[in-house]
Amino acid sequence: MINGISINYYLLLSTVLFIIGAVGVMARRNSIIIFMCIELMLNAVNLLLVAFSTLHGDASGQVFVFFVMAVAAAEVAVGLAILSMIYRNVKSIDTDILSNLKN
Amino acid sequence: MIKLIGLVPLFPLIGFLINGFFGKKISKSLSGVIASVSILASFILSILIFVELNGSTNKSHIVNLFSWINSGTLQIPFEFLVDPLSSLFLLIITGIGFLIHVYSIGYMSHDAGFARFFTYLNLFVFFMLLLVLGNNYLIMFVGWEGVGLCSYLLIGFWFKNNAYNDAARKAFVMNRIGDLGFLLGIILIFVTFGSISYNEVFLKAGTVSTGVITTIALLLFVGAMGKSAQIPLYTWLPDAMAGPTPVSALIHAATMVTAGIYMIVRSNIFYSISEVASETVAIVGVLTALFAATIGLFQNDIKKILAYSTVSQLGFMFLALGVGAYSSAVFHVTTHAFFKALLFLGAGSVIHAMGGEQDIRKMGGLSGKIKITFVTMLLGTVAISGLPPFSGFFSKDEILAHAYEHNPVLWMFGSIASMLTAFYMFRLLFLTFFGKFRGTHEQEHHLHESPSSMTFPLIVLAILSVAGGLLGLPEFWHLPNWMSNNLESVIIRKSPSTLHHETEWMLMGIAVLAALATIYFAYIVYRQKKTLPIKEGDKMPGLQTVIYNKYYVDEIYDALIRKPLDVLSVVFHKFFDIQIIDGLVNGVGGFVKSLGSAIRLLQNGNIGFYITSMVIGIVFIILLTFLI
Amino acid sequence: MKGLLIISGLGILAMLAEIFKFKKLLFPMVLLGVVAAYAFNFMEWKTGMSIPYFDNMIGFDKLGLAFSGIILATAFLWFILANDYFEEETNLVDHFALVLFALVGALMLTSFKNMTTLFLGVEIMSIPLYVLAASKKNDIKSNEAGFKYLIMGSFASGFLLFGIALIYGATGSFDLMQIRAFVSENSTTLPMFFYVGVVFMLIAMLFKVSAAPFHFWAPDVYQGSPTLITALMSTVVKTAAFAAFMRLFMVCFADVSAVWTGILAGVVALSLVVANFSAAMQNNVKRMLAYSSISHGAFMLMVVLANVRSNLSVNALIYYSLAYSLGSIAAFGILYNVTRKGNENIDAFNGLAKRNPSLALCMAIAMLSLAGIPITSGFFAKYFVFTAMIGTQYKWLLIVAVLTSAVGVYYYLRVIIAMYFKKQDTHEPLPIEKSNVLVIVLTTAATIAIGIVPGIVAEMFSF
Amino acid sequence: MLGYTITQWLFGILSFLSIMFALMVVFSRNPVNSILYLVLTFFCIAGLYLLLNAQFLAVVHIVVYSGAIMVLFLFVIMLMNLNQDNEPQRATLNKIIAGVSGGMLLVVLVGSLKGGEQLGLQSYGSSQIGLVKNLGKVLFSEFLFPFEIASILLLAALVGSIMIGKKEIK
Amino acid sequence: MLTALLILFPLLAGLLVFFVKGNAARNLALGLSIIEFGLALGAFFMFKHNPDSCLLSFDHAWVQSLGIHFSVGIDGMALLMILLTTFLVPLIILSSFKNDYSNSNNFYGLILLMQMALVGVFTANDGFLFYVFWELALIPIYFICLLWGGENRGQITFKFFVYTLLGSLFMLVGLIYLYNHTNVDGIKSWNVQALYEAGRALTETQQSAVFWMIFIAFAIKMPIFPLHTWQPDTYVTAPTQGTMLLSGIMLKMGTFGVIKWLLPVVPLGLEKWGGIAIALSVIGIVYASIIALSQKDFKRLIAYSSIAHVGLISAGILSANQQGLQGAIMQMLAHGVNVVGLFFIADILFRHTGTREMDKLGGIRGMNGNFAVLFLIILLGSVALPLTNGFVGEFLLINGVYQFSATMAAIAGLTVILGAVYMLRAYQKIMLGERKDSNVAFGSLAGTDKIVLGVICIVVIAFGFYPKPLNDIAEEAVKTIMLNLK
């Protein structure tokens, strides 16, 4: 129990968010939205980490969240750079168009 | 002298090597002489050995040359056995072999393959000698297959003619069928007795169950069927006449084809033990004798008639073996070697005179033109027809007597065959030598007596055919039957004849009368009525057609064995091998490919799909790991 | 550890090169630096130092050093190979820096001791690679490769993190040893979601080593990326990923192997089938090599599966990584030279035996090594795997492995057949740069050498 | 109120809102809307952080995500002029498959994620760990190495973005 | 030591030949291979003098920690196989003198490397080493077939390669399984005796699994029905020298392998499954013989005949008795020589007439009698006529099979008949009859051709007449093997 809320609820909540993110990745064609959904997934994890951190009374969980944020930022930076480059080349960021590489 | 037995086959071998390697370089006459001399040397040595053996009390000499195959308990030395049986065969082989070599010098003188012919002939004698000299079954087998090879080579001697080649191949293959039986027999002997040397095997023969002995005996008999042209493996022998006539005389009449008899006589102990086997031999023998004789009735090729006659006579010999009259069989082998070699050589002389013509319908009236040939052939014909006092009478009569004693039915069939023999032989004689010449003018001009190298063997053989009967006079004449006495040490002696002398006299009388009657019948048909065989293509009465076409046995074999085999071959190859087995192998490849293509479709380049697939994978993993 | 620092420093140095204008010096410096890193690495290995640095965040033990050694050596060869590639590219300095940074990540993965370092290592290695994969800016295929790699990599990172979070939640720690200790102490009272965490990490790591069904990115990315980057991915990155995999599962989660071995067995089987069957259908050589890499990955996974915490399998994995890296470097090096004109299909190899016999020979040896034919190192690698596997309950996997290996031979032989059997229009000799020749010959020779005397490597690591 | 404490109420509301906004992120047709909903989601999550006594993290979260990352997204979307409602959508079947597989994942996860509470995992730490001071201590002692090495990560991202973003000089 | 030299020498020779250009390569290869034969003869005399001579074995740790040794040694069977190999390789090289191969240095180099691997296979006393040499032998022959083969060679050699490799991978698994059960003073070992012991200690089920794992590899190599379909295509497509290597020597790897690496290892497995394996072999004999009947291409006919022959050898081996095994060894030697001779004849025919289609040939005997005689002698050896080398083996083999099952022996014996049928048919079609119009004049043979055929014919007859020198060694070798089997 954290402040009267069972850890199971946090687990449930972050799982739901995580899966919404995952569904977004699967269901959308717009690359940027896909990115955003991935961010959503990461945030779900962050939430869980913080919850566990508080549960254990251990700060390392929260510290870990910093690293996740740093990584997320880095990924977004690189990802958006790549996307803008792609957009420069093909004037689209539709994933269906980005499917030249296949068998 | 017996110690030198190794030289007997060595001489022909040397002759073979000389002719084989240098045949083309030396003159024809020299190669003929070398070949003949090598056989002569063997012959002389054989005589010396024969004499020595006769004088010695020890009737069985084993000469070890070298150890050949060793495999654990299977020890096969290259050993020769000199005993009365083998030494008798030595004489026949080298003696008649020598005569035929001499004959061939004349007969083949115009042939381009002269040296080659003698090479083969010498090789044949070598193998034949191995066959009879070997002290164990495998050496016999070596000779056995070796003579088969030579037979193959000599039948197909004129290799440009594919019909001859076919005949040669047929001979070899049919022999091989028998050889397989023989081989399995040898192996069974080894498995049963732990040895294949004669003396060891025969010593232990009594200790083994009759069933095994029967199997061995029958397997060996299969071998004999092939080599000695018995039903059902006889059809190669008439075809084998494709070879030069001296070959027919030597291999396909006098020596090789009697190897089967030699083998069974050698193994007589098995047949004495096994009732079943000996009955089989007798029945096959007598049937062959009768069957081949009927075919002989309507043949028009002079050599074919003799060939069927040979098959028939071989049947007689097997009849003898089957009824346990081993020495009679050997006796008949001997006399048959004389008169059949004579007949073949005579026929060769006729053919020689006719410039290669073999069809008796185109002959006639030759008696005046080639007198020596005619006389000798007449003597031979009389001998084979079983008229006393010629050699054939004695040997055949002995067999028939034994057959009667064993089972009168066998005797009856045998007698009928004997009558038929007399008929077709005299038919041959009448059509060839009497009446008018029916050939072309050219042939008529060309007619001449053969050179002395050919007539000399004829004369010698004629003498032997006439006098050969002395070797085995009937016992009840109270004269010494040299043949059976001589072979005493080798053969399980039959219990003394139980036939009354009267019966024997009667049988003899019947045989002679029957023969005379048949000859008279032939005389009426071919001399008085001057009936001629129907020309090729004309219609024949039904049964005659069947017999003329040799009961269509070749065709039946063709349809039953050769054709199905060929079809099977194609089916196996095109269907089983390529379609099914290789198809399966390729199918695996195809499966890989199609599965690969299926998997390929998954990789469609769409990132959403990729991730969905991953998620489905994850679902499965979690489902399987935690919830099931 | 010193190696890691040197490589990091080199990376930063590379960034400065443009500013302070010593671009020309950079290449020799990098080579020197890598050699130095290797030397330090080797010395640490020799003296057997296994000091945990920074509160058990990272620790170069023998195992880690061994993998680091392989990575550094491969990287060295790769740099030589890439020599003229960098001359072509305008962004020389950036490339250098990125590759070096990726190398830092790879080295971290060989020797992490904490989930944090694992996660950071994965990302530090991956992010530069996303960029490098997309680095042919005007080539839409390259862009797409980078993009796909990024999206799917991030997606997998999500699972990795989720797993880490769950494990943290269950055990209260990020430290591998503490987790392990906690697990063995409380094996009966662990919450269910701990195991889910393990499975999630497994899935994420399987993604990184591109095992089916998480392999989808690999062929596309391998194909789209510039050839040399693909070479980097299939050697350095692969080795690092396996080092991490092994540390994580054979060390940390060894006590809960019941949870993950079954999954792993299934994944291995699926990977073998999918990879080999797909590879057999490829005409694009790079793509084919991508599938081949998946198949080799499956072999390496078999080692992990085979025998938890045994010297035999550690040896096997190290040897396999080395053998595979050598073969791949040679193959990609040759591929790089052969496909300069842009045709990456197998017919680019047609008639190579005529155009450049020695290159063809090297390629043939590399292919035979990848196919696992004696006396190449690839054979021993497979042999070690078989030996490790035969004692386990997963013997059926061996049958799958054997059957699919036979399929594997098919596509390796296709290259050989193309080189020796098919005709090419041009017969002009194919020139290659000297440095490339050096690398190719060196790797080929090493392939044969450690194939003939595998003891050199196999007996080096006695853990 | 209804037997729930305020925290519990807040947790319930924030959870509900975050899930709703998250769903809106996925379902909005217009990318700009998506971004805005995502920002809202992040705010809710920040609120949850606060509930968990992670005040510093909540602030950082707002600053980094809502402040930096989301702006970056928005910037790029605007740059590409994707502010449209008619952007191409995946085929319905694909969506259904995605939804179903996501749903299945949810079901199996929820099925297998139970059991945190019964194992006696309860809060036994102080509520002060989320404070800057505490975090700083841990970060610069225990997590020094990752902290340092994270700079490499950021450097790499920096270099990478620049390299990719630069116009090709031909 | 000498054994190691026997392996090393062709390796060095092969490498050397790679760097020689033009005709010098083939002359050098011939010379070196003759020296190798000399070495083998040296081994022969040494063995005669003292079979346990330490010079004949060599052992050096290879991968110590895994119990892998470079352990080679010559026992009776190995000696015979080495003699066969080293005798045939110079002949094979000599036989190629009239063929114009491009890049012939590579060709001869590969042949010598192949020889190295073959000698290695026959002498290896370490299971692992055996496997390595086994695989190594595959590579040169693959390249020989691929580079100098005929029509469609890419696909066919590929099938051959994958097929054999698949088999050997199974063998590897089987061997590793055995290795895993070895225990020599507490450590695992690849030593042949250790593997024997490990194998025998297994349960029947385990032995059965190992039996099939290993047998499949050998069965593919030989090949045994129904794993034979790679063989005819490969034989036909490969360049003649490649076919000679494949059929003359490489095939013996399979039969040799069964004797040394299968029979003593899994006695129970053999007891349980040997019958089925023999049945397959025997079916193969009849099946291949019948197929051979309808073949039009002479080379393909020989290929099928080879399947038939090897089926008999295999059946004999699997009967696992003195006669069967000894017959197998003798027949391996004989078949090696004969089949090389036959393939060479096919090559000569092709060279002179441009076809191997038998229906298009004919009447050659009339044009070149010597050739016909040499052909006939080799053919007779192949149909196992007594006093040719083929007979001793065949007799012992049928004998051995008979002791296992009389029925099997009778069926196996059909080869005696069918072999004669298709061989003589072929001979007749090719050599006899009238010369066909389409058939060009068949001139006299080249000197090298005469030497090769002559030597083969001499061997065919000499060892048919007096097999004792080889037979004695084989007998002793088999006795040792039989001890291992009990």
Side-chain angles (χ1 to χ4, degrees), chain C residues 12-290:
Chain C
I12 295 164
L13 200 67
M15 288 170 59
L16 301 178
E18 190 140 34
I19 305 168
F20 295 106
K21 307 209 186 308
F22 54 95
K23 271 165 91 171
K24 292 263 178 258
L25 278 177
L26 190 55
F27 187 69
M29 275 171 65
V30 167
L31 286 186
L32 216 63
V34 175
V35 170
Y38 185 85
F40 280 114
N41 195 62
F42 188 72
M43 274 156 60
E44 282 174 34
W45 187 75
K46 264 271 167 167
T47 50
M49 278 197 301
S50 178
I51 305 158
Y53 289 88
F54 302 106
D55 285 305
N56 257 333
M57 278 295 161
I58 194 156
F60 282 85
D61 51 15
K62 276 215 149 186
L63 184 61
L65 289 168
F67 278 111
S68 304
I70 295 175
I71 288 174
L72 286 170
T74 329
F76 178 74
L77 293 171
W78 185 87
F79 273 114
I80 300 177
L81 200 61
N83 168 34
D84 68 329
Y85 170 70
F86 285 141
E87 281 173 9
E88 280 175 16
E89 292 290 314
T90 46
N91 303 316
L92 168 80
V93 168
D94 305 339
H95 269 94
F96 267 116
L98 286 171
V99 173
L100 287 165
F101 288 146
L103 217 49
V104 171
L107 291 178
M108 280 176 76
L109 282 181
T110 63
S111 43
F112 64 92
K113 293 246 180 238
N114 192 296
M115 292 298 181
T116 324
T117 31
L118 165 68
F119 174 63
L120 283 175
V122 166
E123 294 300 328
I124 293 176
M125 183 174 77
S126 301
I127 287 177
L129 279 172
Y130 301 151
V131 177
L132 288 168
S135 63
K136 269 193 181 164
K137 285 195 261 177
N138 297 319
D139 180 0
I140 182 64
K141 285 193 172 169
S142 170
N143 297 348
E144 186 186 331
F147 170 72
K148 276 183 174 164
Y149 197 10
L150 172 74
I151 296 279
M152 301 187 76
S154 314
F155 189 75
S157 292
F159 279 89
L160 183 68
L161 281 173
F162 205 101
I164 291 175
L166 288 173
I167 288 164
Y168 170 69
T171 62
S173 173
F174 291 112
D175 188 276
L176 296 192
M177 286 303 130
Q178 282 180 24
I179 293 173
R180 186 171 159 187
F182 187 91
V183 167
S184 56
E185 273 167 31
N186 307 302
S187 54
T188 51
T189 56
L190 279 173
M192 186 78 143
F193 63 71
F194 170 78
Y195 299 107
V196 178
V198 173
V199 170
F200 269 37
M201 290 197 76
L202 177 67
I203 287 165
M205 292 312 289
L206 286 174
F207 172 89
K208 289 290 167 196
V209 300
S210 65
F214 312 109
H215 68 286
F216 290 98
W217 61 275
D220 292 1
V221 172
Y222 276 38
Q223 186 192 349
S225 307
T227 307
L228 281 175
I229 302 302
T230 313
L232 194 68
M233 283 192 246
S234 75
T235 53
V236 168
V237 174
K238 197 115 194 164
T239 310
F242 271 103
F245 202 110
M246 190 167 90
R247 188 176 291 277
L248 197 56
F249 285 92
M250 287 169 72
V251 177
C252 184
F253 297 139
D255 293 334
V256 290
S257 59
V259 182
W260 51 268
T261 43
I263 303 172
L264 203 54
V267 166
V268 167
L270 191 64
S271 302
L272 284 171
V273 171
V274 168
N276 285 303
F277 281 40
S278 307
M281 303 301 295
Q282 301 306 322
N283 281 324
N284 184 302
V285 178
K286 256 158 97 181
R287 217 175 164 77
M288 186 271 273
L289 285 173

Side-chain angles (χ1 to χ4, degrees), chain E residues 229-290:
Chain E
T229 50
W230 62 267
Q231 189 252 39
D233 287 342
T234 311
Y235 279 16
V236 171
T237 307
T240 302
Q241 281 68 35
T243 316
M244 291 172 174
L245 285 170
L246 276 168
S247 58
I249 316 175
M250 222 173 149
L251 178 160
K252 276 73 193 177
M253 285 166 58
T255 46
F256 173 90
V258 177
I259 298 178
K260 182 162 177 181
W261 295 98
L262 186 60
L263 295 189
V265 179
V266 285
L268 294 177
L270 182 72
E271 212 167 281
K272 184 149 188 224
W273 297 104
I276 291 184
I278 291 180
L280 286 177
S281 312
V282 169
I283 291 172
I285 298 172
V286 180
Y287 181 80
S289 301
I290 289 180

Side-chain angles (χ1 to χ4, degrees), chain E residues 172-380:
Chain E
L172 180 62
V173 172
L175 286 177
I176 293 176
Y177 188 79
L178 287 174
Y179 162 77
N180 222 30
H181 284 82
T182 53
N183 187 351
V184 181
D185 305 328
I187 45 171
K188 289 174 184 169
S189 164
W190 273 106
N191 183 279
V192 59
Q193 292 298 337
L195 292 177
Y196 286 176
E197 275 162 32
R200 282 176 214 146
L202 298 176
T203 64
E204 194 191 36
T205 331
Q206 289 169 319
Q207 287 200 13
S208 305
V210 173
F211 173 82
W212 283 111
M213 285 264 185
I214 298 180
F215 182 68
I216 280 182
F218 297 141
I220 290 176
K221 203 73 146 201
M222 289 194 256
I224 295 295
F225 175 89
L227 302 171
H228 65 277
T229 50
W230 62 267
Q231 189 252 39
D233 287 342
T234 311
Y235 279 16
V236 171
T237 307
T240 302
Q241 281 68 35
T243 316
M244 291 172 174
L245 285 170
L246 276 168
S247 58
I249 316 175
M250 222 173 149
L251 178 160
K252 276 73 193 177
M253 285 166 58
T255 46
F256 173 90
V258 177
I259 298 178
K260 182 162 177 181
W261 295 98
L262 186 60
L263 295 189
V265 179
V266 285
L268 294 177
L270 182 72
E271 212 167 281
K272 184 149 188 224
W273 297 104
I276 291 184
I278 291 180
L280 286 177
S281 312
V282 169
I283 291 172
I285 298 172
V286 180
Y287 181 80
S289 301
I290 289 180
I291 289 183
L293 291 176
S294 67
Q295 294 310 309
K296 301 213 157 37
D297 182 327
F298 184 51
K299 222 173 163 187
R300 194 173 285 271
L301 184 139
I302 308 170
Y304 276 108
S305 93
S306 181
I307 298 177
H309 278 121
V310 87
L312 185 57
I313 296 177
S314 155
I317 292 172
L318 290 163
S319 323
N321 51 48
Q322 173 83 31
Q323 282 78 31
L325 285 167
Q326 193 180 333
I329 295 177
M330 295 306 287
Q331 183 74 337
M332 277 149 78
L333 300 177
H335 178 260
V337 175
N338 296 344
V339 87
V340 163
L342 286 173
F343 277 119
F344 187 44
I345 281 163
D347 188 41
I348 292 175
L349 286 171
F350 189 74
R351 227 191 296 137
H352 282 252
T353 64
T355 181
R356 285 188 303 258
E357 196 120 327
M358 294 188 288
D359 290 336
K360 290 184 185 161
L361 297 168
I364 292 174
R365 168 150 207 180
M367 295 181 261
N368 190 338
N370 287 337
F371 179 54
V373 172
L374 294 169
F375 184 0
L376 186 68
I377 290 173
I378 297 171
L379 182 144
L380 293 174

Side-chain angles (χ1 to χ4, degrees), chain D residues 50-163:
Chain D
L50 286 175
L51 279 185
L52 286 164
N53 285 334
Q55 298 89 343
F56 179 65
L57 209 55
V59 175
V60 172
H61 181 79
I62 301 275
V63 172
V64 172
Y65 275 104
S66 316
I69 296 182
M70 284 304 110
V71 170
L72 198 57
F73 270 106
L74 204 58
F75 180 70
V76 171
I77 291 235
M78 291 313 197
L79 198 74
M80 294 178 187
N81 197 19
L82 291 178
N83 185 12
Q84 296 152 345
D85 283 342
N86 58 351
E87 82 150 22
Q89 294 291 310
R90 228 170 250 298
T92 324
L93 181 67
N94 287 355
K95 281 188 186 167
I96 290 172
I97 291 175
V100 167
S101 46
M104 287 196 312
L105 185 59
L106 182 67
V107 170
V108 293
L109 270 186
V110 169
S112 51
L113 277 177
K114 58 197 178 211
E117 204 66 31
Q118 86 219 25
L119 295 167
L121 284 178
Q122 44 232 338
S123 178
Y124 39 79
S126 77
S127 58
Q128 304 306 306
I129 53 157
L131 298 179
V132 190
K133 187 176 151 198
N134 262 328
L135 284 180
K137 258 189 197 155
V138 177
L139 186 59
F140 293 111
S141 59
E142 211 181 313
F143 286 82
L144 179 64
F145 177 74
F147 180 78
E148 295 294 347
I149 213 83
S151 62
I152 299 276
L153 175 76
L154 295 172
L155 265 180
L158 192 76
V159 174
S161 316
I162 293 172
M163 184 181 119

